[in-house]
Amino acid sequence: MSGSCCAKGDEVMILACSGGSNVGQLTNQAAVELTREGFGKMFCLAGIGGGLKGFVKSAQGTPRVVVLDGCPVGCAKAILEREEIPLKSYIVVTDLGIEKNKDRQLAVNDEDLAKVKVAGKAAASLNNETSRPSCCGSGKSC
Amino acid sequence: MEIKVLGPGCPKCHEAEKIVREVVAETGVDASVVKVSDFQQIAQMGVFATPAVAVNGEVKCVGKVPTKAEIAAWINR
């Protein structure tokens, strides 16, 4: 969040499953790097999963939310569905041709990481609503 | 009842605070209005975009200036 003004209403919220597998960790690292690069901001999926009202309300009220799941189990997707948060931009890492392994090394491959980041950006762009609110928000979150 | 208006201090945040105070005065409800501009506190409440409004600790609105009708509905429950 910027220190000089309200958070921008067109900010991209990035939610990663951050699961305990190579593909889960790919979502986490992709979310971290996309945040560092200024594409969007990683947000606490755990807060939404815990049903904390501020987190849920923020996700419901943010027009651009990118959800990154590692595998078809779809934990992040399930959390959003339970909290009735629309799933607009959604990526499943295994759908990108990246195999989930069970070696528990949780290693993140640079090539795979780049692929996830590109897919995340593309998904957000495809679902970029025309009614993006301006700085300091004019969205319809209430 | 405690109403918190969350925002660092830009025009939209001031507008949100002003409207909240107006509704409190008009309805005569027993409520204190607190402006929170500290980012750490705002983040702790899970707020991603401001202005936001919380009533008795529950975030009601994020990323927009609420209408008077919305505020009245929150405080009259």
Side-chain angles (χ1 to χ4, degrees), chain A residues 1-3 5-8 11-13 41 43 53-55 57-58 62 135-142, chain B residues 8 10 12-13 39 42-51 58-66 70 74:
Chain A
M1 210 182 285
S2 161
C5 178
C6 297
K8 290 184 178 177
E11 201 90 71
V12 177
M13 177 186 283
K41 287 186 177 166
F43 196 64
K53 296 288 183 190
F55 290 81
K57 203 75 184 172
S58 286
T62 301
C135 179
C136 304
S138 58
K140 297 172 180 173
S141 60
C142 296
Chain B
C10 74
K12 289 282 185 186
C13 301
F39 276 100
I42 293 171
Q44 279 171 12
M45 296 188 76
V47 167
F48 184 75
T50 53
E58 184 178 333
V59 176
K60 296 288 190 184
C61 172
V62 172
K64 66 164 251 185
V65 177
E70 287 168 336
W74 301 333

Side-chain angles (χ1 to χ4, degrees), chain A residues 35-119:
Chain A
T35 301
R36 286 179 181 159
E37 292 168 11
F39 172 76
K41 287 186 177 166
M42 189 177 187
F43 196 64
C44 302
L45 182 66
I48 300 170
L52 304 183
K53 296 288 183 190
F55 290 81
V56 173
K57 203 75 184 172
S58 286
Q60 287 171 336
T62 301
R64 302 179 70 194
V65 181
V66 179
V67 179
L68 307 173
D69 254 324
C71 69
V73 175
C75 302
K77 180 182 178 184
I79 287 171
L80 265 68
E81 286 175 346
R82 191 180 62 184
E83 298 298 339
E84 299 180 345
I85 299 164
L87 196 68
K88 294 172 188 167
S89 305
Y90 184 55
I91 296 296
V92 180
V93 172
T94 52
D95 286 351
L96 304 175
I98 300 167
E99 194 175 346
K100 180 178 181 176
N101 67 46
K102 304 185 190 307
D103 65 5
R104 312 309 295 177
Q105 296 303 305
L106 307 177
V108 172
N109 174 293
D110 286 345
E111 192 178 321
D112 292 343
L113 178 58
K115 203 182 284 187
V116 176
K117 286 167 64 180
V118 167

